[in-house]
Amino acid sequence: MAILRRIVELAGGTDGNIAVVATASGAPLDPALRYRSLFLDLGIGQASCLPISSRIQAYDPGVVERIRKSTGVFFTGGDQLRITSILGGTPVHKALLERRMEGALVAGTSAGASAMSDIMIVGGPEEEAPKKCTTKLAPGMGLLHDSVIDQHFAQRGRIGRLLSAIAQNPGITGIGIDEDTAIEVGPDLCFTVLGSQTVTVIDGRNIEITNASERAPDSPLALTDVTLHILPKGYGYDLKTGKPLAPKGD
Amino acid sequence: MAILRRIVELAGGTDGNIAVVATASGAPLDPALRYRSLFLDLGIGQASCLPISSRIQAYDPGVVERIRKSTGVFFTGGDQLRITSILGGTPVHKALLERRMEGALVAGTSAGASAMSDIMIVGGPEEEAPKKCTTKLAPGMGLLHDSVIDQHFAQRGRIGRLLSAIAQNPGITGIGIDEDTAIEVGPDLCFTVLGSQTVTVIDGRNIEITNASERAPDSPLALTDVTLHILPKGYGYDLKTGKPLAPKGD
């Protein structure tokens, strides 16, 4: 709840106007109404549900106008491929990128978080040793560059699939977000951790050995000299420099 | 099976004599007989089950003599605290350390692997964000120094508890062994990975930030600049220098 409260605050509080986008869900009405009501309970000025379940709706000038007027856009969970396959390249997508540049809040939970980066994880084995290329990647919404976000991270044993994603391009930063945990990314590309659990950052820039480009995609991954950071609430990370940040005041 | 075959080979093959120790199990007869029969099927010269289910038995000169005559000792799985609480400090324990120094094979699976290092993980949360001090540690058998071994590693989502163990003393090397996977440690303290999955090495010597010594043991861990290696079959690691080793011939 602390995370949703922060979303309301960042979206302008009583002066704010949050648009809830439940495109990730095959049955979007329930989650859309639930988050709308949560945001209103937490004191947002206005909250509405945007009906975007098809590419036709993502071209609707009325919907685009509502995004342009919102101070915050919130993506619910579900299937991240629904988000990108329905919104990718549409006027709604363009409006989102513009609003983000203008300083509006763009937030998401679960699939809604995964879809934020320019590369996203679509699926992959959990609780398994990392394999070379079994983690399925796809282009994301491009709201956060040079990153790949995974979620339900510790709870679903997903470090193997994030390591596999990073092995394919060690210059990309892997961000594994636990349940009830969030990152708040500022315009300076520094993020701060919110919530009760931790964020795992995987920095592959010093990788010396990897077999990721070799044959046999489902054979076990070799990967050395990965730098790993575990960051709980208050800690942060500078995505530009790759440096973890201690809580302010420490 | 490749791992057990290698154990037979290292224990001397047809000239070898393996002692199976099922102390970790509350009902040791079944696992002891099963492994004995597996080793015989795989061609070991002799294999026997050592009856050590109490400290009294671990003082038995006849049992000690059988360890001194064995070319390999194999610990089955179960509860690693049974191994250390029954064997710790006894003549059997002393004989094991001596046989190891003399070049005999000492091997173990599951709890039997966990008990090898001088610090061992007794228990801790799985599939959870790492917590400061919720991983329970105890002294192990001391056959491998400055290391802590965890097993069923990827399959049970245990990276959080191994990170928590390392945070308490970053100079110790964390070794997470997957199922159907093993490390073969040579007298030079270099190990090689065997089996179908991977070994995760956690090297904490470069850790810059940690909150492990602060209050609130079950609050989320902060830990930065951990070096992590994922090593499949053929890869290795030099425990003295902390360097991963590519397969020979590469």
Side-chain angles (χ1 to χ4, degrees):
Chain A
M1 206 53 88
I3 296 169
L4 294 183
R5 203 167 277 130
R6 179 68 179 155
I7 287 174
V8 166
E9 190 182 329
L10 291 170
T14 50
D15 297 328
N17 178 2
I18 285 186
V20 177
V21 180
T23 305
S25 172
L29 197 62
D30 271 6
L33 290 174
R34 186 158 45 87
Y35 276 102
R36 176 177 172 274
S37 133
L38 278 168
F39 288 129
L40 288 169
D41 288 350
L42 291 170
I44 193 77
Q46 296 176 65
S48 63
C49 308
L50 291 200
I52 321 177
S53 291
S54 69
R55 286 187 68 84
I56 290 171
Q57 287 168 316
Y59 277 85
D60 181 335
V63 173
V64 173
E65 184 59 21
R66 283 168 70 186
I67 284 184
R68 293 221 45 81
K69 283 191 175 153
S70 66
T71 57
V73 180
F74 181 82
F75 284 81
T76 68
D79 175 357
Q80 48 267 46
L81 260 188
R82 277 186 59 86
I83 299 178
T84 57
S85 62
I86 289 172
L87 298 188
T90 65
V92 159
H93 186 189
K94 201 171 154 232
L96 277 169
L97 293 169
E98 284 168 4
R99 286 303 287 138
R100 166 77 178 145
M101 291 304 290
E102 291 159 9
L105 174 76
V106 182
T109 184
S110 196
S114 277
M116 291 297 162
S117 48
D118 40 12
I119 296 138
M120 73 181 189
I121 292 180
V122 177
E126 299 170 346
E127 290 169 30
E128 255 199 30
K131 301 289 189 290
K132 282 184 202 170
C133 307
T134 47
T135 299
K136 292 187 182 64
L137 302 175
M141 299 279 284
L143 289 146
L144 186 63
H145 296 308
D146 299 328
S147 305
V148 56
I149 294 172
D150 208 352
Q151 16 75 27
H152 306 288
F153 192 68
Q155 293 74 24
R156 297 195 187 167
R158 287 182 164 175
I159 190 160
R161 73 184 215 176
L162 190 55
L163 285 167
S164 161
I166 294 307
Q168 295 175 50
N169 189 337
I172 302 297
T173 303
I175 305 172
I177 304 178
D178 285 348
E179 288 174 6
D180 191 34
T181 306
I183 59 169
E184 176 183 331
V185 188
D188 57 355
L189 291 181
C190 290
F191 73 68
T192 309
V193 176
L194 314 174
S196 65
Q197 302 299 314
T198 64
V199 169
T200 300
V201 175
I202 291 174
D203 174 357
R205 283 171 295 182
N206 299 321
I207 287 174
E208 284 194 10
I209 300 175
T210 175
N211 62 357
S213 63
E214 294 166 27
R215 283 187 218 176
D218 62 350
S219 70
L221 186 67
L223 202 57
T224 73
D225 303 282
V226 173
T227 304
L228 179 139
H229 313 285
I230 305 283
L231 307 170
K233 182 169 74 176
Y235 287 79
Y237 190 77
D238 186 332
L239 285 162
K240 302 182 305 300
T241 63
K243 289 287 167 210
L245 306 167
K248 287 186 182 92
D250 275 27
Chain B
M1 205 52 87
I3 295 168
L4 295 183
R5 202 166 279 129
R6 179 66 179 154
I7 287 174
V8 166
E9 191 182 329
L10 290 169
T14 50
D15 297 326
N17 177 3
I18 285 186
V20 177
V21 180
T23 305
S25 171
L29 197 61
D30 271 6
L33 291 175
R34 187 158 45 87
Y35 276 103
R36 176 177 171 275
S37 132
L38 277 168
F39 289 129
L40 288 170
D41 287 351
L42 292 169
I44 194 78
Q46 297 175 64
S48 63
C49 307
L50 291 201
I52 321 176
S53 290
S54 69
R55 286 186 67 83
I56 290 172
Q57 289 168 315
Y59 278 86
D60 182 335
V63 174
V64 173
E65 185 59 22
R66 283 169 70 187
I67 285 184
R68 292 221 46 81
K69 284 192 176 153
S70 67
T71 57
V73 180
F74 181 81
F75 284 82
T76 68
D79 176 358
Q80 48 266 47
L81 260 188
R82 277 185 59 86
I83 300 178
T84 57
S85 62
I86 289 173
L87 298 188
T90 64
V92 159
H93 186 188
K94 201 171 153 235
L96 276 168
L97 293 169
E98 283 167 4
R99 286 303 287 139
R100 165 78 179 144
M101 291 305 289
E102 291 159 10
L105 173 76
V106 182
T109 183
S110 196
S114 277
M116 292 296 162
S117 49
D118 41 12
I119 297 138
M120 73 181 188
I121 292 181
V122 178
E126 300 171 345
E127 290 169 30
E128 255 198 30
K131 301 289 189 289
K132 281 185 202 169
C133 307
T134 47
T135 300
K136 291 185 183 66
L137 301 176
M141 299 278 285
L143 289 146
L144 186 62
H145 296 308
D146 298 328
S147 305
V148 55
I149 293 172
D150 209 353
Q151 16 76 23
H152 306 286
F153 192 69
Q155 293 73 25
R156 298 196 186 167
R158 288 182 162 175
I159 190 160
R161 73 184 215 176
L162 190 55
L163 285 167
S164 160
I166 294 307
Q168 295 175 48
N169 188 338
I172 302 297
T173 303
I175 304 172
I177 304 177
D178 286 348
E179 288 173 7
D180 191 33
T181 306
I183 60 170
E184 175 184 331
V185 188
D188 58 354
L189 292 181
C190 291
F191 72 70
T192 309
V193 177
L194 314 175
S196 66
Q197 303 298 312
T198 64
V199 169
T200 300
V201 175
I202 291 176
D203 173 356
R205 283 171 295 181
N206 298 321
I207 287 174
E208 285 194 7
I209 300 176
T210 174
N211 62 358
S213 64
E214 294 165 28
R215 282 186 220 178
D218 61 351
S219 70
L221 186 68
L223 202 57
T224 73
D225 303 283
V226 174
T227 305
L228 179 140
H229 312 284
I230 305 283
L231 307 170
K233 184 169 73 176
Y235 288 79
Y237 190 77
D238 186 331
L239 285 161
K240 301 182 305 300
T241 62
K243 290 288 168 208
L245 306 167
K248 287 185 182 94
D250 275 27

